[in-house]
């Protein structure tokens, strides 16, 4: 605590209603706070602390000490004023200054958090996903696939309405394609479902479970070879472990939400887990391109038209109007460029340019 006649801060004193200034010191004198001229002892103004108005601190703006007679002492020594007020139990920096400092710190913290989060998302998560994929035991993909299909059967799918003959025809072609995969036909399980709101689609789960919807089969008409090409594409996703990688990314997102939200309850947890499984059914464009090329390779090995899947994208363009770079089917973004890439790759496989469309 400051003692009597203790200096508080240096600055300038201004008489009431005048622009004149006198170089002075702010001191505590005889129990009062006073402005004393430099080199002098007689106070220019003074009063008890309770009768003096001291402006709040705002950054580095000068502080103003207003005396009862209207005169003002102005100082740049904010720290000196803060120390004096703190010693007298009046606190240091004002609320405005505290908020200003807090806002600055908050901005810095938020920026650092975004930078750290971006770094983790860009480099950390992919690295951890790759480690998880390598070390995943076979039982894990099986549990993932079973749980996701059960969730879809409860919330979205209905039993297939396709005839047994049509299903057998597609299943036979699928077995022929699956036999060309390193895992063999036994590594995959084809399921037929009425897709409901999902509509025409096909997807693969990490354990080799594949689903094709009635709506996709109906849209294909009698072009069974095209459907087989789509299923070959899905086999490519399983072979290249795209599904497993997406499941781990989705699981990471679900875990992050739960970490932030705390105990969200079993119902919300189920939604997050099932939603993460559905999120895992979508892939990046790079992954889709890889699976497209794998479809071309598998179809060629099985003696089918290697560019058959290109007809699927032609169909999407014609029936769903997808002639731009936007996604119409969430898990199969059909675009003219993608169809062209498939035809080009099929031409490379067969040694001659593939016909447009077919």
């Amino acid at each position: 605590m400051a003692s009597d006649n203790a200096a508080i801060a240096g600055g300038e004193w201004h008489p009431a209603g005048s622009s004149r200034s006198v170089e002075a010191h702010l001191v505590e004198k005889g129990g009062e706070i006073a402005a004393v001229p430099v080199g002098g002892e007689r106070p220019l103004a003074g009063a008890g602390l309770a009768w003096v108005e001291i402006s709040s601190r705002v950054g580095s703006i000068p502080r103003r000490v207003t005396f009862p007679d209207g005169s003002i002492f102005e100082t740049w020594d904010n720290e000196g004023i803060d120390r004096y007020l703190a010693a007298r139990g009046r606190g240091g920096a004002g609320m405005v200054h505290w908020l200003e400092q807090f806002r600055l710190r908050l901005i810095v913290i938020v920026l650092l958090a975004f930078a750290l989060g971006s770094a983790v998302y860009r480099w950390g998560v992919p690295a951890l996903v790759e480690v998880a994929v390598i070390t995943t035991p076979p039982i894990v993909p099986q549990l993932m696939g079973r749980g996701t299909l059960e969730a879809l059967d409860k919330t979205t799918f209905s039993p297939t309405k396709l005839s047994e003959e049509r299903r057998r025809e597609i299943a036979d072609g699928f077995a022929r394609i699956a036999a060309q995969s390193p895992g063999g036909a036994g590594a995959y399980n084809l399921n037929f479902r009425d897709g409901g709101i999902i509509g025409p689609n096909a997807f693969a789960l990490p354990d080799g479970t594949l689903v094709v919807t009635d709506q996709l089969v109906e849209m294909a008409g009698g072009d069974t070879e095209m459907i087989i090409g789509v299923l070959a594409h899905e086999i490519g996703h399983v072979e290249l472990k795209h599904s497993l990688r997406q499941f781990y990314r989705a699981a990471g997102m679900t875990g992050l939400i739960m970490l932030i939200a705390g105990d969200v309850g079993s119902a919300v947890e189920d939604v997050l887990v099932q939603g993460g499984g559905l999120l895992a059914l979508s892939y990046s464009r790079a992954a889709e391109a890889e699976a497209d090329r794998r479809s071309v390779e598998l179809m060629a090995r099985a003696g089918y038209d290697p560019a058959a899947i290109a007809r699927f994208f032609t169909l999407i363009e014609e029936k769903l109007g997808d002639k731009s770079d936007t996604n119409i089917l969430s898990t199969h973004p059909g675009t003219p460029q993608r169809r062209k890439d498939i035809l080009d790759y099929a031409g490379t496989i067969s040694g001659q340019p593939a016909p447009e469309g077919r």
Side-chain angles (χ1 to χ4, degrees), residues 16 24 76 85 94 116 118 122 131 133 181 200 205 211 214 224 234 255 267 289:
W76 291 89
L85 292 175
L116 179 60
S118 299
R122 185 181 179 104
V131 171
V133 168
S181 172
L205 299 173
V211 176
D214 294 357
T224 301
E234 298 305 330

Side-chain angles (χ1 to χ4, degrees), residues 60-82:
S60 59
I61 295 175
R63 303 287 277 281
R64 295 165 66 91
V65 179
T66 304
F67 293 95
D69 63 0
S71 63
I72 297 172
F73 176 83
E74 191 173 72
T75 179
W76 291 89
D77 189 359
N78 283 300
E79 299 299 331
I81 297 294
D82 288 342

